[in-house]
Amino acid sequence: PEDIPERLVKFVQAFPGERQLTMLVHDFFTVCPSHFLLNHQGKYCGLPGIDTCQRCLPALNDPLANLYVPKNMELWRTLWGKALTQATEIICFSENTRSLLLKAYPNLPRERLRVVPHKVDYLSGQYVGDQSLPRLRVAMVGQIGKHKGSEEYISLVEVAKQRRYPIDFYVIG
């Protein structure tokens, strides 16, 4: 994984003025080898200081993060920072992603960062199903895992069940 940013930099430098590099930030791999920002305890970290990250990285038990053998967060950020700096445009899909990227790389040229939310206007917005039930419906969309808050979702289901709230829970994906 640490070779990718260097290859991107070399690509851009090999064609000065001829090639543009657009980076799409779908997750936080440019910030941390734990691309969903789950710490060594499996909890979302919110991007703490670099010292905390450096202590966490060697303790991670994540197959993707373990591909990064040096386990050096400062080196990781230096390498990816160079690639991000070479980018002509950096597209984030939420303001939260943009702010976390800038937290990790405060010197990134802000004019190169754009927030372009995913388009969902192709969805009709029409409800299909039994509308006679006076129940709240809560759905988790996509693969349900720790990175999407599965533990919190499960505890919400358990509390609603214990208190007999009129809520139906679904996982779509």
PDB file of all heavy atoms in Angstrom, residues 73-110:
ATOM      1  N   MET A  73       2.783   5.646  11.151  1.00  0.00           N
ATOM      2  CA  MET A  73       1.735   6.568  10.726  1.00  0.00           C
ATOM      3  C   MET A  73       2.297   7.854  10.130  1.00  0.00           C
ATOM      4  O   MET A  73       1.761   8.388   9.150  1.00  0.00           O
ATOM      5  CB  MET A  73       0.800   6.901  11.880  1.00  0.00           C
ATOM      6  CG  MET A  73      -0.397   7.727  11.453  1.00  0.00           C
ATOM      7  SD  MET A  73      -1.392   6.985  10.137  1.00  0.00           S
ATOM      8  CE  MET A  73      -2.306   5.811  11.089  1.00  0.00           C
ATOM      9  N   GLU A  74       3.400   8.364  10.662  1.00  0.00           N
ATOM     10  CA  GLU A  74       3.985   9.579  10.103  1.00  0.00           C
ATOM     11  C   GLU A  74       4.455   9.340   8.669  1.00  0.00           C
ATOM     12  O   GLU A  74       4.255  10.179   7.795  1.00  0.00           O
ATOM     13  CB  GLU A  74       5.113  10.090  10.983  1.00  0.00           C
ATOM     14  CG  GLU A  74       4.609  10.700  12.274  1.00  0.00           C
ATOM     15  CD  GLU A  74       5.716  11.329  13.108  1.00  0.00           C
ATOM     16  OE1 GLU A  74       6.827  11.555  12.577  1.00  0.00           O
ATOM     17  OE2 GLU A  74       5.452  11.604  14.286  1.00  0.00           O
ATOM     18  N   LEU A  75       5.060   8.185   8.423  1.00  0.00           N
ATOM     19  CA  LEU A  75       5.492   7.841   7.071  1.00  0.00           C
ATOM     20  C   LEU A  75       4.282   7.709   6.151  1.00  0.00           C
ATOM     21  O   LEU A  75       4.283   8.210   5.026  1.00  0.00           O
ATOM     22  CB  LEU A  75       6.301   6.540   7.078  1.00  0.00           C
ATOM     23  CG  LEU A  75       6.727   6.011   5.707  1.00  0.00           C
ATOM     24  CD1 LEU A  75       7.624   7.022   4.990  1.00  0.00           C
ATOM     25  CD2 LEU A  75       7.441   4.667   5.866  1.00  0.00           C
ATOM     26  N   TRP A  76       3.223   7.039   6.625  1.00  0.00           N
ATOM     27  CA  TRP A  76       2.000   6.867   5.843  1.00  0.00           C
ATOM     28  C   TRP A  76       1.444   8.225   5.406  1.00  0.00           C
ATOM     29  O   TRP A  76       1.143   8.442   4.242  1.00  0.00           O
ATOM     30  CB  TRP A  76       0.957   6.124   6.676  1.00  0.00           C
ATOM     31  CG  TRP A  76      -0.318   5.839   5.960  1.00  0.00           C
ATOM     32  CD1 TRP A  76      -1.458   6.604   5.954  1.00  0.00           C
ATOM     33  CD2 TRP A  76      -0.597   4.716   5.120  1.00  0.00           C
ATOM     34  NE1 TRP A  76      -2.431   6.020   5.178  1.00  0.00           N
ATOM     35  CE2 TRP A  76      -1.921   4.850   4.661  1.00  0.00           C
ATOM     36  CE3 TRP A  76       0.133   3.595   4.741  1.00  0.00           C
ATOM     37  CZ2 TRP A  76      -2.524   3.919   3.844  1.00  0.00           C
ATOM     38  CZ3 TRP A  76      -0.473   2.665   3.917  1.00  0.00           C
ATOM     39  CH2 TRP A  76      -1.790   2.829   3.465  1.00  0.00           C
ATOM     40  N   ARG A  77       1.337   9.133   6.354  1.00  0.00           N
ATOM     41  CA  ARG A  77       0.772  10.451   6.046  1.00  0.00           C
ATOM     42  C   ARG A  77       1.702  11.259   5.145  1.00  0.00           C
ATOM     43  O   ARG A  77       1.245  12.022   4.291  1.00  0.00           O
ATOM     44  CB  ARG A  77       0.485  11.220   7.335  1.00  0.00           C
ATOM     45  CG  ARG A  77      -0.560  10.570   8.210  1.00  0.00           C
ATOM     46  CD  ARG A  77      -1.893  11.287   8.171  1.00  0.00           C
ATOM     47  NE  ARG A  77      -2.873  10.577   8.964  1.00  0.00           N
ATOM     48  CZ  ARG A  77      -3.175  10.865  10.228  1.00  0.00           C
ATOM     49  NH1 ARG A  77      -2.577  11.862  10.843  1.00  0.00           N
ATOM     50  NH2 ARG A  77      -4.082  10.153  10.862  1.00  0.00           N
ATOM     51  N   THR A  78       2.988  11.098   5.307  1.00  0.00           N
ATOM     52  CA  THR A  78       3.934  11.796   4.435  1.00  0.00           C
ATOM     53  C   THR A  78       3.774  11.315   2.992  1.00  0.00           C
ATOM     54  O   THR A  78       3.684  12.120   2.057  1.00  0.00           O
ATOM     55  CB  THR A  78       5.384  11.582   4.910  1.00  0.00           C
ATOM     56  OG1 THR A  78       5.528  12.144   6.214  1.00  0.00           O
ATOM     57  CG2 THR A  78       6.382  12.233   3.966  1.00  0.00           C
ATOM     58  N   LEU A  79       3.725   9.997   2.820  1.00  0.00           N
ATOM     59  CA  LEU A  79       3.594   9.428   1.473  1.00  0.00           C
ATOM     60  C   LEU A  79       2.281   9.845   0.811  1.00  0.00           C
ATOM     61  O   LEU A  79       2.269  10.304  -0.332  1.00  0.00           O
ATOM     62  CB  LEU A  79       3.689   7.901   1.542  1.00  0.00           C
ATOM     63  CG  LEU A  79       5.049   7.330   1.949  1.00  0.00           C
ATOM     64  CD1 LEU A  79       4.940   5.834   2.235  1.00  0.00           C
ATOM     65  CD2 LEU A  79       6.076   7.595   0.864  1.00  0.00           C
ATOM     66  N   TRP A  80       1.171   9.672   1.533  1.00  0.00           N
ATOM     67  CA  TRP A  80      -0.125  10.014   0.954  1.00  0.00           C
ATOM     68  C   TRP A  80      -0.297  11.521   0.826  1.00  0.00           C
ATOM     69  O   TRP A  80      -0.971  12.002  -0.081  1.00  0.00           O
ATOM     70  CB  TRP A  80      -1.259   9.380   1.750  1.00  0.00           C
ATOM     71  CG  TRP A  80      -1.443   7.953   1.359  1.00  0.00           C
ATOM     72  CD1 TRP A  80      -1.031   6.843   2.042  1.00  0.00           C
ATOM     73  CD2 TRP A  80      -2.044   7.475   0.155  1.00  0.00           C
ATOM     74  NE1 TRP A  80      -1.344   5.709   1.333  1.00  0.00           N
ATOM     75  CE2 TRP A  80      -1.966   6.060   0.175  1.00  0.00           C
ATOM     76  CE3 TRP A  80      -2.633   8.088  -0.938  1.00  0.00           C
ATOM     77  CZ2 TRP A  80      -2.473   5.268  -0.848  1.00  0.00           C
ATOM     78  CZ3 TRP A  80      -3.139   7.307  -1.963  1.00  0.00           C
ATOM     79  CH2 TRP A  80      -3.051   5.907  -1.910  1.00  0.00           C
ATOM     80  N   GLY A  81       0.326  12.277   1.718  1.00  0.00           N
ATOM     81  CA  GLY A  81       0.275  13.733   1.620  1.00  0.00           C
ATOM     82  C   GLY A  81       0.904  14.226   0.328  1.00  0.00           C
ATOM     83  O   GLY A  81       0.398  15.156  -0.311  1.00  0.00           O
ATOM     84  N   LYS A  82       2.008  13.605  -0.075  1.00  0.00           N
ATOM     85  CA  LYS A  82       2.659  13.975  -1.338  1.00  0.00           C
ATOM     86  C   LYS A  82       1.738  13.693  -2.518  1.00  0.00           C
ATOM     87  O   LYS A  82       1.645  14.499  -3.447  1.00  0.00           O
ATOM     88  CB  LYS A  82       3.979  13.212  -1.497  1.00  0.00           C
ATOM     89  CG  LYS A  82       5.069  13.705  -0.574  1.00  0.00           C
ATOM     90  CD  LYS A  82       6.338  12.885  -0.744  1.00  0.00           C
ATOM     91  CE  LYS A  82       7.405  13.337   0.241  1.00  0.00           C
ATOM     92  NZ  LYS A  82       8.607  12.504   0.160  1.00  0.00           N
ATOM     93  N   ALA A  83       1.077  12.561  -2.508  1.00  0.00           N
ATOM     94  CA  ALA A  83       0.157  12.221  -3.608  1.00  0.00           C
ATOM     95  C   ALA A  83      -1.018  13.194  -3.635  1.00  0.00           C
ATOM     96  O   ALA A  83      -1.413  13.674  -4.711  1.00  0.00           O
ATOM     97  CB  ALA A  83      -0.335  10.791  -3.464  1.00  0.00           C
ATOM     98  N   LEU A  84      -1.592  13.482  -2.480  1.00  0.00           N
ATOM     99  CA  LEU A  84      -2.721  14.408  -2.418  1.00  0.00           C
ATOM    100  C   LEU A  84      -2.308  15.803  -2.897  1.00  0.00           C
ATOM    101  O   LEU A  84      -3.081  16.493  -3.561  1.00  0.00           O
ATOM    102  CB  LEU A  84      -3.284  14.465  -1.002  1.00  0.00           C
ATOM    103  CG  LEU A  84      -4.058  13.225  -0.558  1.00  0.00           C
ATOM    104  CD1 LEU A  84      -4.214  13.200   0.963  1.00  0.00           C
ATOM    105  CD2 LEU A  84      -5.422  13.155  -1.239  1.00  0.00           C
ATOM    106  N   THR A  85      -1.095  16.206  -2.571  1.00  0.00           N
ATOM    107  CA  THR A  85      -0.597  17.512  -2.992  1.00  0.00           C
ATOM    108  C   THR A  85      -0.444  17.587  -4.508  1.00  0.00           C
ATOM    109  O   THR A  85      -0.619  18.638  -5.111  1.00  0.00           O
ATOM    110  CB  THR A  85       0.745  17.819  -2.297  1.00  0.00           C
ATOM    111  OG1 THR A  85       0.532  17.781  -0.883  1.00  0.00           O
ATOM    112  CG2 THR A  85       1.272  19.186  -2.672  1.00  0.00           C
ATOM    113  N   GLN A  86      -0.124  16.448  -5.135  1.00  0.00           N
ATOM    114  CA  GLN A  86       0.013  16.400  -6.593  1.00  0.00           C
ATOM    115  C   GLN A  86      -1.335  16.400  -7.309  1.00  0.00           C
ATOM    116  O   GLN A  86      -1.396  16.665  -8.512  1.00  0.00           O
ATOM    117  CB  GLN A  86       0.793  15.149  -7.015  1.00  0.00           C
ATOM    118  CG  GLN A  86       2.250  15.176  -6.647  1.00  0.00           C
ATOM    119  CD  GLN A  86       3.015  16.227  -7.439  1.00  0.00           C
ATOM    120  OE1 GLN A  86       2.828  16.377  -8.634  1.00  0.00           O
ATOM    121  NE2 GLN A  86       3.859  16.981  -6.752  1.00  0.00           N
ATOM    122  N   ALA A  87      -2.388  16.091  -6.586  1.00  0.00           N
ATOM    123  CA  ALA A  87      -3.710  15.994  -7.212  1.00  0.00           C
ATOM    124  C   ALA A  87      -4.173  17.354  -7.705  1.00  0.00           C
ATOM    125  O   ALA A  87      -4.039  18.361  -7.019  1.00  0.00           O
ATOM    126  CB  ALA A  87      -4.722  15.426  -6.225  1.00  0.00           C
ATOM    127  N   THR A  88      -4.720  17.354  -8.895  1.00  0.00           N
ATOM    128  CA  THR A  88      -5.308  18.555  -9.463  1.00  0.00           C
ATOM    129  C   THR A  88      -6.634  18.842  -8.780  1.00  0.00           C
ATOM    130  O   THR A  88      -7.028  19.985  -8.596  1.00  0.00           O
ATOM    131  CB  THR A  88      -5.561  18.352 -10.978  1.00  0.00           C
ATOM    132  OG1 THR A  88      -4.445  17.692 -11.546  1.00  0.00           O
ATOM    133  CG2 THR A  88      -5.784  19.669 -11.677  1.00  0.00           C
ATOM    134  N   GLU A  89      -7.313  17.743  -8.410  1.00  0.00           N
ATOM    135  CA  GLU A  89      -8.623  17.844  -7.787  1.00  0.00           C
ATOM    136  C   GLU A  89      -8.795  16.677  -6.819  1.00  0.00           C
ATOM    137  O   GLU A  89      -8.405  15.556  -7.116  1.00  0.00           O
ATOM    138  CB  GLU A  89      -9.705  17.803  -8.877  1.00  0.00           C
ATOM    139  CG  GLU A  89     -11.095  17.934  -8.383  1.00  0.00           C
ATOM    140  CD  GLU A  89     -12.094  17.951  -9.526  1.00  0.00           C
ATOM    141  OE1 GLU A  89     -11.958  17.169 -10.485  1.00  0.00           O
ATOM    142  OE2 GLU A  89     -13.038  18.752  -9.442  1.00  0.00           O
ATOM    143  N   ILE A  90      -9.378  16.975  -5.672  1.00  0.00           N
ATOM    144  CA  ILE A  90      -9.680  15.947  -4.677  1.00  0.00           C
ATOM    145  C   ILE A  90     -11.178  16.035  -4.416  1.00  0.00           C
ATOM    146  O   ILE A  90     -11.679  17.071  -3.957  1.00  0.00           O
ATOM    147  CB  ILE A  90      -8.891  16.161  -3.368  1.00  0.00           C
ATOM    148  CG1 ILE A  90      -7.386  16.179  -3.650  1.00  0.00           C
ATOM    149  CG2 ILE A  90      -9.247  15.096  -2.351  1.00  0.00           C
ATOM    150  CD1 ILE A  90      -6.547  16.696  -2.497  1.00  0.00           C
ATOM    151  N   ILE A  91     -11.883  14.956  -4.735  1.00  0.00           N
ATOM    152  CA  ILE A  91     -13.337  14.957  -4.577  1.00  0.00           C
ATOM    153  C   ILE A  91     -13.713  14.144  -3.345  1.00  0.00           C
ATOM    154  O   ILE A  91     -13.369  12.970  -3.229  1.00  0.00           O
ATOM    155  CB  ILE A  91     -14.035  14.397  -5.828  1.00  0.00           C
ATOM    156  CG1 ILE A  91     -13.731  15.311  -7.024  1.00  0.00           C
ATOM    157  CG2 ILE A  91     -15.537  14.263  -5.603  1.00  0.00           C
ATOM    158  CD1 ILE A  91     -14.296  14.835  -8.331  1.00  0.00           C
ATOM    159  N   CYS A  92     -14.402  14.802  -2.436  1.00  0.00           N
ATOM    160  CA  CYS A  92     -14.950  14.160  -1.242  1.00  0.00           C
ATOM    161  C   CYS A  92     -16.459  14.070  -1.441  1.00  0.00           C
ATOM    162  O   CYS A  92     -17.060  14.919  -2.084  1.00  0.00           O
ATOM    163  CB  CYS A  92     -14.630  14.984   0.005  1.00  0.00           C
ATOM    164  SG  CYS A  92     -12.871  15.241   0.284  1.00  0.00           S
ATOM    165  N   PHE A  93     -17.072  13.068  -0.862  1.00  0.00           N
ATOM    166  CA  PHE A  93     -18.500  12.869  -1.074  1.00  0.00           C
ATOM    167  C   PHE A  93     -19.346  13.375   0.090  1.00  0.00           C
ATOM    168  O   PHE A  93     -20.561  13.226   0.076  1.00  0.00           O
ATOM    169  CB  PHE A  93     -18.771  11.405  -1.401  1.00  0.00           C
ATOM    170  CG  PHE A  93     -18.087  11.007  -2.687  1.00  0.00           C
ATOM    171  CD1 PHE A  93     -16.856  10.389  -2.676  1.00  0.00           C
ATOM    172  CD2 PHE A  93     -18.662  11.314  -3.907  1.00  0.00           C
ATOM    173  CE1 PHE A  93     -16.205  10.062  -3.855  1.00  0.00           C
ATOM    174  CE2 PHE A  93     -18.026  10.997  -5.095  1.00  0.00           C
ATOM    175  CZ  PHE A  93     -16.791  10.371  -5.068  1.00  0.00           C
ATOM    176  N   SER A  94     -18.684  13.975   1.079  1.00  0.00           N
ATOM    177  CA  SER A  94     -19.406  14.623   2.171  1.00  0.00           C
ATOM    178  C   SER A  94     -18.504  15.689   2.783  1.00  0.00           C
ATOM    179  O   SER A  94     -17.278  15.641   2.645  1.00  0.00           O
ATOM    180  CB  SER A  94     -19.811  13.611   3.252  1.00  0.00           C
ATOM    181  OG  SER A  94     -18.672  13.177   3.975  1.00  0.00           O
ATOM    182  N   GLU A  95     -19.119  16.626   3.457  1.00  0.00           N
ATOM    183  CA  GLU A  95     -18.358  17.669   4.146  1.00  0.00           C
ATOM    184  C   GLU A  95     -17.546  17.051   5.284  1.00  0.00           C
ATOM    185  O   GLU A  95     -16.442  17.504   5.586  1.00  0.00           O
ATOM    186  CB  GLU A  95     -19.296  18.754   4.673  1.00  0.00           C
ATOM    187  CG  GLU A  95     -18.584  19.923   5.308  1.00  0.00           C
ATOM    188  CD  GLU A  95     -17.572  20.615   4.398  1.00  0.00           C
ATOM    189  OE1 GLU A  95     -17.881  20.863   3.219  1.00  0.00           O
ATOM    190  OE2 GLU A  95     -16.450  20.910   4.879  1.00  0.00           O
ATOM    191  N   ASN A  96     -18.093  16.010   5.919  1.00  0.00           N
ATOM    192  CA  ASN A  96     -17.379  15.329   6.997  1.00  0.00           C
ATOM    193  C   ASN A  96     -16.063  14.741   6.480  1.00  0.00           C
ATOM    194  O   ASN A  96     -15.024  14.865   7.117  1.00  0.00           O
ATOM    195  CB  ASN A  96     -18.254  14.237   7.605  1.00  0.00           C
ATOM    196  CG  ASN A  96     -17.538  13.488   8.705  1.00  0.00           C
ATOM    197  OD1 ASN A  96     -17.152  14.058   9.705  1.00  0.00           O
ATOM    198  ND2 ASN A  96     -17.334  12.200   8.504  1.00  0.00           N
ATOM    199  N   THR A  97     -16.109  14.098   5.317  1.00  0.00           N
ATOM    200  CA  THR A  97     -14.896  13.527   4.736  1.00  0.00           C
ATOM    201  C   THR A  97     -13.885  14.626   4.447  1.00  0.00           C
ATOM    202  O   THR A  97     -12.697  14.492   4.750  1.00  0.00           O
ATOM    203  CB  THR A  97     -15.236  12.770   3.432  1.00  0.00           C
ATOM    204  OG1 THR A  97     -16.147  11.716   3.743  1.00  0.00           O
ATOM    205  CG2 THR A  97     -13.993  12.194   2.789  1.00  0.00           C
ATOM    206  N   ARG A  98     -14.358  15.725   3.894  1.00  0.00           N
ATOM    207  CA  ARG A  98     -13.470  16.850   3.597  1.00  0.00           C
ATOM    208  C   ARG A  98     -12.814  17.376   4.869  1.00  0.00           C
ATOM    209  O   ARG A  98     -11.612  17.618   4.907  1.00  0.00           O
ATOM    210  CB  ARG A  98     -14.262  17.968   2.907  1.00  0.00           C
ATOM    211  CG  ARG A  98     -13.438  19.178   2.533  1.00  0.00           C
ATOM    212  CD  ARG A  98     -14.352  20.263   1.917  1.00  0.00           C
ATOM    213  NE  ARG A  98     -13.613  21.435   1.568  1.00  0.00           N
ATOM    214  CZ  ARG A  98     -13.270  22.409   2.414  1.00  0.00           C
ATOM    215  NH1 ARG A  98     -13.633  22.339   3.673  1.00  0.00           N
ATOM    216  NH2 ARG A  98     -12.588  23.452   2.006  1.00  0.00           N
ATOM    217  N   SER A  99     -13.584  17.543   5.926  1.00  0.00           N
ATOM    218  CA  SER A  99     -13.027  18.096   7.161  1.00  0.00           C
ATOM    219  C   SER A  99     -12.025  17.131   7.806  1.00  0.00           C
ATOM    220  O   SER A  99     -11.009  17.569   8.338  1.00  0.00           O
ATOM    221  CB  SER A  99     -14.134  18.482   8.143  1.00  0.00           C
ATOM    222  OG  SER A  99     -14.831  17.352   8.589  1.00  0.00           O
ATOM    223  N   LEU A 100     -12.285  15.825   7.737  1.00  0.00           N
ATOM    224  CA  LEU A 100     -11.326  14.861   8.287  1.00  0.00           C
ATOM    225  C   LEU A 100     -10.044  14.809   7.454  1.00  0.00           C
ATOM    226  O   LEU A 100      -8.948  14.677   7.997  1.00  0.00           O
ATOM    227  CB  LEU A 100     -11.955  13.472   8.397  1.00  0.00           C
ATOM    228  CG  LEU A 100     -12.966  13.310   9.521  1.00  0.00           C
ATOM    229  CD1 LEU A 100     -13.714  11.986   9.403  1.00  0.00           C
ATOM    230  CD2 LEU A 100     -12.298  13.418  10.887  1.00  0.00           C
ATOM    231  N   LEU A 101     -10.179  14.932   6.145  1.00  0.00           N
ATOM    232  CA  LEU A 101      -9.000  14.960   5.279  1.00  0.00           C
ATOM    233  C   LEU A 101      -8.144  16.181   5.607  1.00  0.00           C
ATOM    234  O   LEU A 101      -6.923  16.086   5.721  1.00  0.00           O
ATOM    235  CB  LEU A 101      -9.435  14.979   3.812  1.00  0.00           C
ATOM    236  CG  LEU A 101      -8.356  14.713   2.781  1.00  0.00           C
ATOM    237  CD1 LEU A 101      -7.770  13.312   2.930  1.00  0.00           C
ATOM    238  CD2 LEU A 101      -8.920  14.886   1.380  1.00  0.00           C
ATOM    239  N   LEU A 102      -8.801  17.324   5.808  1.00  0.00           N
ATOM    240  CA  LEU A 102      -8.057  18.537   6.172  1.00  0.00           C
ATOM    241  C   LEU A 102      -7.490  18.471   7.580  1.00  0.00           C
ATOM    242  O   LEU A 102      -6.472  19.096   7.870  1.00  0.00           O
ATOM    243  CB  LEU A 102      -8.952  19.768   6.014  1.00  0.00           C
ATOM    244  CG  LEU A 102      -9.212  20.190   4.567  1.00  0.00           C
ATOM    245  CD1 LEU A 102     -10.293  21.259   4.505  1.00  0.00           C
ATOM    246  CD2 LEU A 102      -7.933  20.672   3.909  1.00  0.00           C
ATOM    247  N   LYS A 103      -8.127  17.715   8.445  1.00  0.00           N
ATOM    248  CA  LYS A 103      -7.587  17.531   9.797  1.00  0.00           C
ATOM    249  C   LYS A 103      -6.273  16.759   9.720  1.00  0.00           C
ATOM    250  O   LYS A 103      -5.317  17.078  10.424  1.00  0.00           O
ATOM    251  CB  LYS A 103      -8.608  16.772  10.655  1.00  0.00           C
ATOM    252  CG  LYS A 103      -8.220  16.649  12.114  1.00  0.00           C
ATOM    253  CD  LYS A 103      -9.350  15.978  12.897  1.00  0.00           C
ATOM    254  CE  LYS A 103      -9.003  15.825  14.358  1.00  0.00           C
ATOM    255  NZ  LYS A 103     -10.071  15.132  15.101  1.00  0.00           N
ATOM    256  N   ALA A 104      -6.223  15.755   8.851  1.00  0.00           N
ATOM    257  CA  ALA A 104      -5.002  14.966   8.686  1.00  0.00           C
ATOM    258  C   ALA A 104      -3.954  15.717   7.875  1.00  0.00           C
ATOM    259  O   ALA A 104      -2.749  15.573   8.113  1.00  0.00           O
ATOM    260  CB  ALA A 104      -5.325  13.636   8.011  1.00  0.00           C
ATOM    261  N   TYR A 105      -4.407  16.498   6.906  1.00  0.00           N
ATOM    262  CA  TYR A 105      -3.511  17.230   6.013  1.00  0.00           C
ATOM    263  C   TYR A 105      -3.922  18.700   5.957  1.00  0.00           C
ATOM    264  O   TYR A 105      -4.520  19.156   4.982  1.00  0.00           O
ATOM    265  CB  TYR A 105      -3.564  16.623   4.603  1.00  0.00           C
ATOM    266  CG  TYR A 105      -3.194  15.170   4.552  1.00  0.00           C
ATOM    267  CD1 TYR A 105      -4.177  14.186   4.438  1.00  0.00           C
ATOM    268  CD2 TYR A 105      -1.865  14.767   4.620  1.00  0.00           C
ATOM    269  CE1 TYR A 105      -3.839  12.844   4.395  1.00  0.00           C
ATOM    270  CE2 TYR A 105      -1.516  13.420   4.588  1.00  0.00           C
ATOM    271  CZ  TYR A 105      -2.514  12.468   4.471  1.00  0.00           C
ATOM    272  OH  TYR A 105      -2.180  11.142   4.438  1.00  0.00           O
ATOM    273  N   PRO A 106      -3.613  19.469   6.998  1.00  0.00           N
ATOM    274  CA  PRO A 106      -4.085  20.856   7.058  1.00  0.00           C
ATOM    275  C   PRO A 106      -3.501  21.765   5.968  1.00  0.00           C
ATOM    276  O   PRO A 106      -4.060  22.826   5.698  1.00  0.00           O
ATOM    277  CB  PRO A 106      -3.654  21.321   8.454  1.00  0.00           C
ATOM    278  CG  PRO A 106      -2.627  20.356   8.910  1.00  0.00           C
ATOM    279  CD  PRO A 106      -2.872  19.076   8.189  1.00  0.00           C
ATOM    280  N   ASN A 107      -2.423  21.353   5.331  1.00  0.00           N
ATOM    281  CA  ASN A 107      -1.800  22.202   4.313  1.00  0.00           C
ATOM    282  C   ASN A 107      -2.274  21.916   2.896  1.00  0.00           C
ATOM    283  O   ASN A 107      -1.738  22.493   1.941  1.00  0.00           O
ATOM    284  CB  ASN A 107      -0.271  22.067   4.382  1.00  0.00           C
ATOM    285  CG  ASN A 107       0.275  22.588   5.695  1.00  0.00           C
ATOM    286  OD1 ASN A 107      -0.235  23.556   6.246  1.00  0.00           O
ATOM    287  ND2 ASN A 107       1.295  21.940   6.219  1.00  0.00           N
ATOM    288  N   LEU A 108      -3.258  21.039   2.734  1.00  0.00           N
ATOM    289  CA  LEU A 108      -3.775  20.776   1.394  1.00  0.00           C
ATOM    290  C   LEU A 108      -4.401  22.045   0.830  1.00  0.00           C
ATOM    291  O   LEU A 108      -5.107  22.759   1.554  1.00  0.00           O
ATOM    292  CB  LEU A 108      -4.848  19.682   1.423  1.00  0.00           C
ATOM    293  CG  LEU A 108      -4.371  18.251   1.483  1.00  0.00           C
ATOM    294  CD1 LEU A 108      -5.570  17.304   1.533  1.00  0.00           C
ATOM    295  CD2 LEU A 108      -3.493  17.903   0.296  1.00  0.00           C
ATOM    296  N   PRO A 109      -4.157  22.325  -0.443  1.00  0.00           N
ATOM    297  CA  PRO A 109      -4.793  23.501  -1.053  1.00  0.00           C
ATOM    298  C   PRO A 109      -6.315  23.330  -1.094  1.00  0.00           C
ATOM    299  O   PRO A 109      -6.835  22.458  -1.776  1.00  0.00           O
ATOM    300  CB  PRO A 109      -4.208  23.525  -2.474  1.00  0.00           C
ATOM    301  CG  PRO A 109      -3.005  22.640  -2.436  1.00  0.00           C
ATOM    302  CD  PRO A 109      -3.256  21.644  -1.354  1.00  0.00           C
ATOM    303  N   ARG A 110      -7.010  24.136  -0.328  1.00  0.00           N
ATOM    304  CA  ARG A 110      -8.461  24.004  -0.190  1.00  0.00           C
ATOM    305  C   ARG A 110      -9.212  24.172  -1.505  1.00  0.00           C
ATOM    306  O   ARG A 110     -10.280  23.600  -1.695  1.00  0.00           O
ATOM    307  CB  ARG A 110      -8.973  24.979   0.862  1.00  0.00           C
ATOM    308  CG  ARG A 110      -8.724  24.461   2.261  1.00  0.00           C
ATOM    309  CD  ARG A 110      -8.745  25.554   3.304  1.00  0.00           C
ATOM    310  NE  ARG A 110      -8.666  25.050   4.661  1.00  0.00           N
ATOM    311  CZ  ARG A 110      -7.606  24.479   5.206  1.00  0.00           C
ATOM    312  NH1 ARG A 110      -6.523  24.256   4.480  1.00  0.00           N
ATOM    313  NH2 ARG A 110      -7.606  24.076   6.470  1.00  0.00           N
TER     314      ARG A 110
END
